[in-house]
Amino acid sequence: MPPRPRYEMPDFFLDTLEKRGLMDACLARPAYQRNDYIGLLRVTRANLEATRQKRLNQMLDELERGGVYMKVEWKG
């Protein structure tokens, strides 16, 4: 099985985390989760702005709440 691609964190992503005060919460997550938020949720590859925003909001909500990763309980 080939390794999963690694995604760079785009500027809008970093800016949003900083504005919401969630940078520390994001950086506290394992690298695979940060990568998944960018890649698996395809925040950077959404065709519609509304879709991108929905995916970004899910990530932000999970970081704010803690204990949730991809809509599943996570014990970090």
Side-chain angles (χ1 to χ4, degrees):
M1 180 179 234
R4 292 180 359 194
R6 303 283 185 231
Y7 301 103
E8 294 288 325
M9 202 174 283
D11 291 338
F12 81 88
F13 206 80
L14 293 169
D15 292 342
T16 302
L17 290 171
E18 288 181 14
K19 287 177 187 172
R20 298 277 294 266
L22 294 171
M23 184 62 75
D24 289 341
C26 183
L27 294 176
R29 297 287 179 118
Y32 77 90
Q33 286 187 13
R34 294 190 304 269
N35 191 61
D36 285 352
Y37 276 132
I38 298 167
L40 293 180
L41 287 176
R42 297 188 342 236
V43 170
T44 59
R45 292 184 275 160
N47 291 327
L48 299 174
E49 179 61 29
T51 303
R52 184 173 89 164
Q53 194 60 50
K54 177 183 171 187
R55 293 172 181 167
L56 184 61
N57 287 339
Q58 176 187 337
M59 180 203 69
L60 296 170
D61 180 56
E62 290 181 1
L63 290 173
E64 283 178 343
R65 289 179 18 207
V68 180
Y69 168 67
M70 299 288 189
K71 299 182 180 180
V72 177
E73 183 178 345
W74 174 70
K75 298 179 183 182

